[in-house]
């Protein structure tokens, strides 16, 4: 059951599929509900198709 909100930061890819980290150091993120951090990481990987850096639980 998805009951907690998570923000998952990832490393984006360019048009050719190569990893394209931000030059500013700020990673893009996706945000959604998941049961736990492990599930959040898995969902983020599926949604973005990119390597996920971390999942952070958002309180509130």
């Amino acid at each position: 059951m998805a009951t907690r909100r998570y923000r998952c930061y990832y490393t984006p890819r360019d048009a050719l599929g190569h990893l394209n980290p931000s030059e500013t150091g700020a990673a893009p993120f996706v945000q959604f509900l998941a049961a736990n951090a492990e599930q959040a990481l898995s969902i983020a990987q599926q949604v973005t198709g990119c390597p996920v850096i971390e999942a952070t639980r958002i309180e509130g």
Side-chain angles (χ1 to χ4, degrees), residues 4-28:
R4 297 181 176 158
R5 183 169 298 280
Y6 287 88
R7 181 175 292 150
C8 295
Y9 296 89
Y10 64 95
T11 303
R13 297 183 184 273
D14 64 16
L16 299 175
H18 300 104
L19 293 179
N20 189 21
S22 170
E23 291 179 13
T24 65

Side-chain angles (χ1 to χ4, degrees), residues 3-57:
T3 59
R4 297 181 176 158
R5 183 169 298 280
Y6 287 88
R7 181 175 292 150
C8 295
Y9 296 89
Y10 64 95
T11 303
R13 297 183 184 273
D14 64 16
L16 299 175
H18 300 104
L19 293 179
N20 189 21
S22 170
E23 291 179 13
T24 65
F29 64 88
V30 290
Q31 190 170 296
F32 46 84
L33 297 175
N36 55 46
E38 185 177 338
Q39 183 185 41
L41 289 170
S42 176
I43 293 170
Q45 173 70 38
Q46 292 174 10
V47 169
T48 65
C50 299
V52 179
I53 300 166
E54 71 173 314
T56 304
R57 183 175 164 191

